[in-house]
Amino acid sequence: MTMTQDRTDGLAAPPGGAQPVVLATYGLTKSFGDTLAVDHLDLTVRRGDVFGFLGPNGAGKTTTIRMIVGLIYPTSGYATVIDHQVPRDKIEALRHIGGFVEVPAFYGNMSARRNLRLMGGLNSEVDEQRVAEVLDIVGLSERADSKVGDYSHGMKQRLGIANALINSPELIILDEPTSGLDPQGMKDVRELVRELGKDGTTVFLSSHLLHEVEQVCNRAVIINKGRVVIEGPVSELHPQHSSVKLLTSDQGKARDVVAALAGAQQVTIDEGYLVVEASDGTVREMVAELVAAGVGVDAVIPAREQGLEDFFLGLTQSSDVDAGGAAGVAGGAR
């Protein structure tokens, strides 16, 4: 499904210099029979955020988005978009939203230009300059007059983003925009989302890919089984203990030295490297102790990315994880 609506500014900045809230959910819940798909979900997206909505497949992400845009009704709770409550004020809320749910839909026998002209015009008059502008933003100017049916999957995803932008909405919602793309297509879409963020566009990006959210988002929430596990700035969504890889002149002796340090929680071997899970302030002490013990230190390599992957999997695969239990694991969580 594709959405295109117009923009209506008028948000007053809240006290304290914080950006105004563009999207929020309050106890948003959806049950399908005995299945609880979304469980009392609370989240807040502020103007200018590129907000990552992260979770494994089946976590309740698309169901949440469908409730936000009024495609399905919540069992309880509600969402607000620019202070318009959904589902009560759905029509007014949708005037501020652009984006797509699951996959963007177009007329395959029409050109990209004609599709944008038609879909944008369903809500308000769209001039040719704006059509050309959004086609240029997503890198489709040279194929603007080609039939969309001849487009690759990646080009259709980019056209979906162009359609989301056509009426200059306050909020862009993208549901798994890199799904099914090859590596180059994924890179192109991520760069596009990153550029939108730099330009101050508020983006709500649903994804099951941790690496994707890390690359393009400034804030994120991780959900599992329809519940918030952790939320905060992306830079803080990582374990308090990080990993480093060590290569030394004597790995056996180095392992003994490192294992004796109070800050080193775990020491393993990976492809000849010592992998040390340690608190952030331990690395300098570790190197000093190795040098004092006569062990030459050839390399110290941050292994934070792998630590994040393990952290994400640990949070989302644990059957007893809950928001309260995870809140103390990372900074910025709430």
Side-chain angles (χ1 to χ4, degrees), residues 7-19:
R7 175 174 181 164
T8 307
D9 288 322
L11 290 177
Q19 289 296 316

Side-chain angles (χ1 to χ4, degrees), residues 5 141 156 210:
Q5 299 292 341
S141 295
K156 289 177 181 176
L210 175 64

Side-chain angles (χ1 to χ4, degrees), residues 106 112 116 135 140 148 151 155-163:
F106 298 102
L116 291 177
L135 284 167
L140 289 176
V148 173
Y151 273 19
M155 293 170 69
K156 289 177 181 176
Q157 293 292 86
R158 283 189 280 157
L159 184 58
I161 296 174
N163 192 44

Side-chain angles (χ1 to χ4, degrees), residues 268-319:
T268 57
I269 297 177
D270 179 24
E271 297 180 349
Y273 286 90
L274 287 179
V275 181
V276 184
E277 183 182 327
S279 56
D280 291 339
T282 304
V283 176
R284 186 176 299 175
E285 179 188 358
M286 189 187 309
V287 173
E289 290 292 329
L290 288 169
V291 172
V295 178
V297 179
D298 298 319
V300 181
I301 305 171
R304 179 174 175 268
E305 182 176 334
Q306 183 60 44
L308 279 169
E309 291 287 349
D310 292 341
F311 181 56
F312 174 70
L313 291 173
L315 287 176
T316 57
Q317 291 181 357
S318 174
S319 61

Side-chain angles (χ1 to χ4, degrees), residues 1-30:
M1 176 201 171
T2 305
M3 302 166 290
T4 58
Q5 299 292 341
D6 69 348
R7 175 174 181 164
T8 307
D9 288 322
L11 290 177
Q19 289 296 316
V21 174
V22 174
L23 168 68
T25 65
Y26 301 90
L28 198 63
T29 302
K30 182 63 178 179

Side-chain angles (χ1 to χ4, degrees), residues 1-189:
M1 176 201 171
T2 305
M3 302 166 290
T4 58
Q5 299 292 341
D6 69 348
R7 175 174 181 164
T8 307
D9 288 322
L11 290 177
Q19 289 296 316
V21 174
V22 174
L23 168 68
T25 65
Y26 301 90
L28 198 63
T29 302
K30 182 63 178 179
S31 297
F32 297 97
D34 294 333
T35 302
L36 186 59
V38 179
D39 185 6
H40 295 86
L41 189 68
D42 295 322
L43 56 85
T44 302
V45 180
R46 295 186 178 275
R47 176 178 283 172
D49 278 342
V50 179
F51 190 93
F53 192 42
L54 181 66
N57 289 327
K61 300 189 300 297
T62 296
T63 299
T64 299
I65 292 174
R66 286 179 170 273
M67 287 190 284
I68 290 171
V69 301
L71 288 175
I72 58 176
Y73 278 71
T75 304
S76 63
Y78 61 94
T80 61
V81 179
I82 319 295
D83 294 328
H84 299 295
Q85 192 177 125
V86 181
R88 186 189 67 195
D89 307 322
K90 179 176 73 173
I91 300 301
E92 288 302 314
L94 286 174
R95 294 185 185 279
H96 302 274
I97 301 175
F100 55 83
V101 183
E102 296 182 303
V103 292
F106 298 102
Y107 293 100
N109 63 336
M110 294 183 184
S111 68
R113 192 186 306 277
R114 189 176 176 192
N115 266 284
L116 291 177
R117 188 187 303 135
L118 175 65
M119 293 186 178
L122 291 174
N123 184 65
S124 62
E125 186 176 348
V126 177
D127 60 35
E128 290 302 312
Q129 181 178 349
R130 180 57 180 169
V131 172
E133 182 179 317
V134 296
L135 284 167
D136 182 61
I137 289 172
V138 301
L140 289 176
S141 295
E142 293 184 2
R143 295 293 302 276
D145 296 308
S146 300
K147 289 184 177 181
V148 173
D150 296 329
Y151 273 19
S152 67
H153 181 54
M155 293 170 69
K156 289 177 181 176
Q157 293 292 86
R158 283 189 280 157
L159 184 58
I161 296 174
N163 192 44
L165 293 169
I166 191 68
N167 294 119
S168 302
E170 187 72 38
L171 172 68
I172 304 294
I173 295 178
L174 303 177
D175 186 17
E176 300 279 2
T178 61
S179 178
L181 299 184
D182 60 22
Q184 183 59 50
M186 295 174 75
K187 182 175 182 291
D188 290 345
V189 170

